Amino acid sequence: MLREQMVRFYVWYGELPISKKVILTTFLFWVLQAIPKWGFVLLGDGEMTANLMTAFIMPRSEL
């Protein structure tokens, strides 16, 4: 199944015009570089991590 999806993606990518291939490839490179930076920024400071956790998980003391 994964092999079929990869083949379909490869065919789809091959049919794209050059301009869209450049845009897609540039975006993918940007995402691959940005994800580790965002992770470091968000998890590097304990206070920021705590604020993010309270946005997704309600502490029992506030119920």
Side-chain angles (χ1 to χ4, degrees):
M1 180 160 178
L2 180 62
R3 185 176 182 91
E4 293 172 7
Q5 289 178 345
M6 292 298 293
V7 169
R8 272 191 260 141
F9 177 76
Y10 183 73
V11 169
W12 172 80
Y13 186 79
E15 294 174 353
L16 286 176
I18 297 280
S19 59
K20 291 190 179 185
K21 285 181 185 177
V22 169
I23 292 169
L24 180 64
T25 304
T26 304
F27 178 75
L28 288 175
F29 281 141
W30 174 79
V31 167
L32 289 174
Q33 291 177 353
I35 288 173
K37 292 176 187 175
W38 293 338
F40 177 74
V41 168
L42 294 176
L43 299 176
D45 181 22
E47 185 176 338
M48 177 63 95
T49 306
N51 291 339
L52 285 171
M53 289 299 290
T54 56
F56 295 109
I57 301 171
M58 179 70 70
R60 290 182 182 254
S61 61
E62 294 182 12
L63 290 177

